[in-house]
Structures are given as C-alpha cells and as structure tokens.
Amino acid sequence: KPIPKINWYKNDRVVRQAGKTRLTSSEDKDTLTATSTISTKDVDVKRFDGTYLIEATNVAGTAVHEATLIVNKPPAFVSVPESLTISEGEALILESRAVGKPVPSISWKRGSEAVTAGVAENEDSERWEAVSQMSRTVGVEDDTEEWFIEASNSIGSVQHQFGLNGMPSDTTIPS
C-alpha cells in the first residue's frame, strides 16, 4: 500500500489502457489485480500480438511482470472461385485463399463428398494465409452440382458455395 500506479508497455512504449486497478487484502498478503481491455472487433493481429510488460510503482518500489498476448482470428476468404461452365475434358485449376490465426486449413467438397484428389495446399505463416488449389479434368456427369470450400481453424470456419458445370465438348459455351 498505497495503491500503485500501473503502466503497460509493449516494445518499450506505454500502451494506452482502458481498465481498472483493484487492491484486495487478506491476513498475510495484499493482491493487486490490474485488468485492461482491448476490443477484438477488426483487430490488427500484428499490432496486438506480442510480449507486454506491466509495471506497478508506489513509494515502496516497483514490480514488473511480463506476459505474452496471442490474438487469434477466425478464417476469412481472400479469394474464392465463382460458378463457371467449362467443356467436358478440359483441365481446370481452381484456387482459394483464406486468412486467419492460426492459419486455416481449406477443404473442398462436391455436394456432400470431400474431394482430396488433385488438391494442393500451402501456407504462409508470416501472413497467416492458406492457399489451396484443386485441379481436375471436367466431366459432364459428375461436375454438374454444387461445390463447397471451407476454411477452418480452432477459432471458427467459413464456407463458400459455387457451381461447376461440365458441358459436352461439342457444345458452344455462352460467353
């Protein structure tokens, strides 16, 4: 006692805080609880992720504690394929990009069936981005239904639906 002044630091700079300091006492010790709130709506992960120092100072001295904050975000698509019509037998490469933290995984489905053949996935953990490509040869009978792409991580998931229509190779595809 007295109640100390509290400062938060990140990268040796004072962090503006919106919080409260509370001091509670028991028979053998005093406990200081300092809370600070950061809104998580549209948080810039790089800005808030990192190591923080909390410094409590009063006439009796200074106490410092370090804590690491990891901000996670649900996945969001950056790019997705749109519905298209293509001639039977043509090769096709579709790409989807999604961001999130942790880096999301991307899965493809035709109707309710998971598609893994021809799917390649890469991730860029610096940008928290996943890129998935699906390559296939289009067939009339099995590609005239709805397709789904799902990006998911431990925070959540997002899904996109598109159509892929195969036309007989002797049919003119409208532009």
Side-chain angles (χ1 to χ4, degrees):
K1 294 180 184 178
I3 294 176
K5 179 180 182 204
I6 303 295
N7 282 313
W8 288 90
Y9 296 91
K10 181 179 182 217
N11 300 330
D12 297 322
R13 299 181 80 180
V14 174
V15 176
R16 208 168 33 111
Q17 53 184 311
K20 297 184 179 182
T21 304
R22 184 178 49 143
L23 182 65
T24 57
S25 297
S26 64
E27 287 182 28
D28 58 345
K29 65 179 179 177
D30 290 331
T31 303
L32 173 69
T33 304
T35 60
S36 220
T37 305
I38 298 172
S39 173
T40 58
K41 185 177 181 189
D42 299 322
V43 167
D44 176 358
V45 173
K46 289 182 183 179
R47 182 172 162 215
F48 291 105
D49 251 3
T51 301
Y52 289 79
L53 293 176
I54 182 170
E55 177 184 76
T57 305
N58 69 10
V59 293
T62 299
V64 177
H65 184 74
E66 183 178 289
T68 300
L69 175 65
I70 299 170
V71 179
N72 290 323
K73 288 187 84 166
F77 284 115
V78 175
S79 66
V80 290
E82 296 302 325
S83 295
L84 62 106
T85 300
I86 191 166
S87 293
E88 176 185 24
E90 282 191 42
L92 175 66
I93 297 176
L94 299 174
E95 181 176 278
S96 177
R97 293 177 178 268
V99 293
K101 187 169 181 205
V103 176
S105 60
I106 298 174
S107 58
W108 300 78
K109 285 185 182 178
R110 186 180 75 216
S112 60
E113 270 184 55
V115 175
T116 56
V119 175
E121 190 166 326
N122 294 304
E123 71 175 50
D124 179 348
S125 55
E126 294 260 327
R127 295 175 54 200
W128 301 299
E129 181 179 58
V131 179
S132 181
Q133 290 185 331
M134 182 194 58
S135 58
R136 68 186 286 112
T137 302
V138 175
V140 174
E141 63 286 339
D142 65 357
D143 287 318
T144 55
E145 54 186 291
E146 293 302 310
W147 284 73
F148 300 91
I149 307 168
E150 182 176 72
S152 60
N153 65 14
S154 58
I155 306 303
S157 64
V158 63
Q159 193 174 73
H160 173 74
Q161 180 178 349
F162 67 98
L164 179 58
N165 299 303
M167 301 289 288
S169 56
D170 58 353
T171 305
T172 303
I173 298 174
S175 0

